[in-house]
Amino acid sequence: MSVSTRLTSVWRLYSIAAVLLLSLLNIPACDANPNCTYLRIPLSATASNEVFPIPVGLNYSNPAAISALVQTIIGDAFTPYPLIPTTFTGIIAARYCEPEVTVANRSDVVQLFMSGVTENNLYWFGLGYPTGFDGDMYSTVDYASKQGYPTLAIDRIGVGNSTHPDPILQQQLNLEEAVSHELVLMLKAGTAVPGKTFNRVIFVGHSYGSVLGNAQATNHPGDISAFILTGYGVSGIPVAVDLPQTVPFPAELYSPRFAGFPPGYLVTSSEVGRRGYLWGRPGSFDPNIFLMDYNDEDVVGLGELLSIEGGLKEAPSSTAPVFIVTGDADDVFCLAATCGDGPSSPQAQACTLFPKAEVCEYFIPVGTGHMISLHYSAQTSFQKYHAFLASVGF
């Protein structure tokens, strides 16, 4: 036997022994996935919700009537509506994931993922768990895991497996922000994830979830150590202007999946409208991931649509760094899907809502629509926001 053959045999034996040792020690291999645990977190929160002027006898099955109501309320954002103390008591469903690699200065940090309307925690996994569309290509959680970040992806109240409150009186931005605040307190106290206490929370939002982040920076500026706000802009008016194309429709009448839901829970019932509203230019996304998103969409509470503008306010005391990712073909926060670039862009204008932020930067993926994590540009967006986090000490 030659020396090279003997060395090859020894190396093979060593490799086999190493693999066996790693498996015995339960150390993940380099291509391992994050280790995720499904949680049901009991939580109670109280806030002052708005009493909106819902017309008597509103026909929830009339998309034009629903769209007109949303446009009226958002377009009249300066009208003060009566406030009423409102409480949520229920369950927040979530997936907590331990990262597949260990990075010492990130073990006390958790990325808290907050989805947009008609989406649940699966948005952050590329629409599927344990494997998303095209593997991990569109999984924000997987990318964060490879950088050593623990993550908590939740179902907001009213979506997924979380408790479904009244979709108008309770499911509003003010109460949802209070729920997020309580959840952050629990993460820091060690009562949200069994056996885990986090000193720092990075808020990662998408769409309505990003607006919730804005509200949390305004109302509870000490909660969050850094904000990543995706699919986000400075005004909710475009949200209302282009809403009719989605043909909002009662979820209960749309699919057996939502049997028993009150009429205030809605879906986007038009495939063409949803594509135009939430997705980018042709060629910027896989048509099959769009179909998966459309067929598996979750719900939106009418109260969320009516209250969204209230979250887009200046956060005068928040010093946490902010990174914004909104595509230049985002039809939700940019009228006519022309987000543009530079100081006049909605992304740059959104930075003005955080005047005391340590730093506010933005990235505009070309051709990308509202569903930031589900376009071909997803991996670039993930890389940009994690590079930003590293640059500010995370």
Side-chain angles (χ1 to χ4, degrees):
M1 181 183 293
S2 67
V3 173
S4 62
T5 302
R6 287 198 301 270
L7 288 174
T8 300
S9 299
V10 170
W11 176 250
R12 287 175 176 168
L13 289 172
Y14 173 80
S15 299
I16 293 170
V19 171
L20 290 173
L21 179 60
L22 288 173
S23 64
L24 288 173
L25 293 175
N26 197 29
I27 298 174
C30 61
D31 62 347
N33 293 319
N35 180 19
C36 300
T37 303
Y38 180 75
L39 301 174
R40 291 175 57 81
I41 305 170
L43 186 150
S44 182
T46 299
S48 294
N49 272 2
E50 296 177 275
V51 181
F52 293 112
I54 307 297
V56 176
L58 175 66
N59 183 1
Y60 291 93
S61 299
N62 183 343
I66 296 297
S67 297
L69 176 62
V70 173
Q71 290 172 339
T72 298
I73 298 297
I74 291 182
D76 197 21
F78 296 104
T79 297
Y81 294 106
L83 298 174
I84 184 171
T86 309
T87 297
F88 168 83
T89 299
I91 296 295
I92 298 297
R95 282 190 173 92
Y96 169 74
C97 298
E98 279 284 309
E100 60 203 78
V101 299
T102 300
V103 178
N105 72 327
R106 292 172 182 166
S107 60
D108 72 331
V109 182
V110 63
Q111 292 193 26
L112 173 61
F113 292 120
M114 199 75 64
S115 69
V117 300
T118 75
E119 301 291 339
N120 52 44
N121 81 87
L122 292 178
Y123 173 83
W124 304 106
F125 293 89
L127 300 184
Y129 180 84
T131 303
F133 184 89
D134 197 12
D136 297 322
M137 172 72 178
Y138 302 98
S139 174
T140 322
V141 169
D142 182 76
Y143 195 98
S145 172
K146 287 179 168 57
Q147 313 306 312
Y149 291 99
T151 60
L152 183 70
I154 76 165
D155 290 337
R156 291 178 296 97
I157 65 173
V159 301
N161 292 316
S162 289
T163 300
H164 286 64
D166 185 288
I168 300 174
L169 300 178
Q170 291 177 290
Q171 198 177 7
Q172 293 184 25
L173 184 131
N174 288 347
L175 185 56
E176 291 190 66
E177 187 279 328
V179 168
S180 181
H181 168 63
E182 290 299 326
L183 185 57
V184 168
L185 295 181
M186 294 174 69
L187 285 167
K188 293 181 177 181
T191 55
V193 179
K196 297 290 180 180
T197 300
F198 300 99
N199 296 321
R200 298 175 292 171
V201 177
I202 298 169
F203 188 105
V204 185
H206 173 249
S207 188
Y208 182 82
S210 292
V211 179
L212 284 174
N214 187 161
Q216 196 154 356
T218 302
N219 298 337
H220 299 99
D223 279 3
I224 304 298
S225 297
F227 289 95
I228 307 297
L229 306 178
T230 72
Y232 170 71
V234 74
S235 172
I237 291 177
V239 176
V241 169
D242 289 331
L243 178 67
Q245 67 178 303
T246 69
V247 191
F249 197 72
E252 182 184 33
L253 302 180
Y254 179 76
S255 170
R257 291 190 292 129
F258 306 120
F261 279 40
Y265 279 109
L266 308 170
V267 295
T268 59
S269 66
S270 168
E271 179 179 331
V272 173
R274 185 176 178 90
R275 184 188 299 112
Y277 191 51
L278 300 179
W279 293 77
R281 301 188 186 106
S284 66
F285 60 90
D286 187 321
N288 291 315
I289 195 173
F290 160 73
L291 289 174
M292 185 175 181
D293 171 63
Y294 175 68
N295 291 328
D296 295 340
E297 70 171 307
D298 211 303
V299 297
V300 53
L302 179 57
E304 293 178 310
L305 296 175
L306 298 177
S307 63
I308 187 171
E309 186 74 9
L312 294 166
K313 295 179 180 178
E314 183 178 285
S317 300
S318 177
T319 59
V322 179
F323 192 71
I324 297 166
V325 184
T326 300
D328 72 347
D330 188 312
D331 198 36
V332 175
F333 281 100
C334 310
L335 288 173
T338 52
C339 281
D341 201 349
S344 63
S345 68
Q347 297 89 335
Q349 293 176 33
C351 278
T352 65
L353 298 178
F354 302 89
K356 291 188 178 180
E358 176 186 332
V359 61
C360 183
E361 298 178 2
Y362 58 88
F363 170 62
I364 306 176
V366 176
T368 300
H370 191 62
M371 308 297 276
I372 290 291
S373 294
L374 304 181
H375 283 68
Y376 289 136
S377 60
Q379 287 287 317
T380 301
S381 295
F382 300 160
Q383 186 276 325
K384 291 288 186 181
Y385 99 63
H386 282 92
F388 173 81
L389 289 176
S391 73
V392 293
F394 292 92

